[in-house]
Amino acid sequence: MSFSEIVVIFIILKFAVDKTSDMDIIKISTDWARAEIFSAKIVWIFSFIIILSAIGFYFLGKTTIAKAFVIPLAITGFLLTTIGIGLYTANKPRIIQFEKEYQTNSSAFIQKEIERTSKSNSDFALVFKILPILVIIGAALILISKSPNWQASGITLALLASFLMAVDANTAARNETYRQQLLTHQSS
């Protein structure tokens, strides 16, 4: 059993309730969206650090490898900024939208969220196949290439993929917990 599975089981056991009230399901949904917004902020902080690192290497880097990090880090920083914006803009409106949809048709809302979280689970299965491959490609670039540009690109690729795995592991655990809570409510 993996660590993330243990975390999911712990969270499910801690928060699973046999019969959830209407206000609980809205709170569960909005708490999930707020947690996603928090993830967006974590991604932004990391992107800011990466962009500052690129700027630092640009102005202070004296070695060839230091100069080689500028472009890969800048690209990674802006990519992470875009990912953070996507997470934020996708989830911020959900906080208000959840209550409106639930009040309009609670059964349809719950079913829609179950379907969305189930789709997200299958997306995460693919993500957790691709990201480790990117880490391996990054490691191969470091080992095989003698070019500072390729080595810096490999290190940056491995850094990006590792960070995204850390964020997505937490997101996947939250998603599964949320889905289980929706299923519990639907069956009650």
Side-chain angles (χ1 to χ4, degrees), residues 120-132:
S120 292
N121 280 349
S122 63
D123 292 347
F124 284 124
L126 179 62
V127 164
F128 286 114
K129 289 176 184 166
I130 293 171
L131 291 177

Side-chain angles (χ1 to χ4, degrees), residues 92-187:
K92 182 66 173 172
R94 285 186 175 147
I95 293 172
I96 296 168
Q97 179 185 356
F98 280 159
E99 188 167 350
K100 288 179 183 176
E101 288 181 9
Y102 187 83
Q103 298 304 333
T104 302
N105 185 343
S106 61
S107 297
F109 168 76
I110 292 171
Q111 186 58 41
K112 182 179 115 180
E113 283 298 288
I114 289 170
E115 290 169 7
R116 188 185 61 72
T117 55
S118 295
K119 181 188 177 310
S120 292
N121 280 349
S122 63
D123 292 347
F124 284 124
L126 179 62
V127 164
F128 286 114
K129 289 176 184 166
I130 293 171
L131 291 177
I133 291 170
L134 292 178
V135 171
I136 293 168
I137 291 170
L141 285 172
I142 297 164
L143 293 172
I144 294 171
S145 178
K146 299 299 178 213
S147 163
N149 291 332
W150 284 110
Q151 287 181 338
S153 296
I155 291 167
T156 306
L157 179 62
L159 174 71
L160 171 65
S162 297
F163 174 72
L164 291 176
M165 279 191 290
V167 170
D168 285 346
N170 287 298
T171 302
R174 270 195 314 271
N175 186 70
E176 180 57 23
T177 301
Y178 177 47
R179 188 170 93 56
Q180 290 299 324
Q181 290 170 328
L182 291 166
L183 289 168
T184 299
H185 184 77
Q186 185 183 43
S187 65

Side-chain angles (χ1 to χ4, degrees), residues 1-171:
M1 184 176 287
S2 73
F3 178 73
S4 62
E5 291 171 328
I6 293 170
V7 170
V8 169
I9 290 169
F10 174 77
I11 293 170
I12 290 169
L13 290 174
K14 183 176 179 191
F15 294 106
V17 178
D18 290 338
K19 185 164 169 83
T20 340
S21 72
D22 289 347
M23 289 310 290
D24 287 341
I25 205 68
I26 293 169
K27 183 179 179 335
I28 289 166
S29 299
T30 57
D31 285 350
W32 173 85
R34 283 188 183 93
E36 291 299 299
I37 291 168
F38 179 75
S39 287
K41 292 175 183 177
I42 295 296
V43 171
W44 283 336
I45 290 169
F46 193 70
S47 69
F48 182 69
I49 292 168
I50 295 292
I51 291 169
L52 282 179
S53 298
I55 293 168
F57 279 124
Y58 180 78
F59 287 110
L60 304 173
K62 304 291 183 221
T63 63
T64 309
I65 190 80
K67 293 289 186 188
F69 272 108
V70 173
I71 292 174
L73 286 175
I75 291 170
T76 299
F78 289 114
L79 176 66
L80 286 171
T81 301
T82 304
I83 291 169
I85 289 169
L87 277 170
Y88 187 86
T89 58
N91 290 296
K92 182 66 173 172
R94 285 186 175 147
I95 293 172
I96 296 168
Q97 179 185 356
F98 280 159
E99 188 167 350
K100 288 179 183 176
E101 288 181 9
Y102 187 83
Q103 298 304 333
T104 302
N105 185 343
S106 61
S107 297
F109 168 76
I110 292 171
Q111 186 58 41
K112 182 179 115 180
E113 283 298 288
I114 289 170
E115 290 169 7
R116 188 185 61 72
T117 55
S118 295
K119 181 188 177 310
S120 292
N121 280 349
S122 63
D123 292 347
F124 284 124
L126 179 62
V127 164
F128 286 114
K129 289 176 184 166
I130 293 171
L131 291 177
I133 291 170
L134 292 178
V135 171
I136 293 168
I137 291 170
L141 285 172
I142 297 164
L143 293 172
I144 294 171
S145 178
K146 299 299 178 213
S147 163
N149 291 332
W150 284 110
Q151 287 181 338
S153 296
I155 291 167
T156 306
L157 179 62
L159 174 71
L160 171 65
S162 297
F163 174 72
L164 291 176
M165 279 191 290
V167 170
D168 285 346
N170 287 298
T171 302

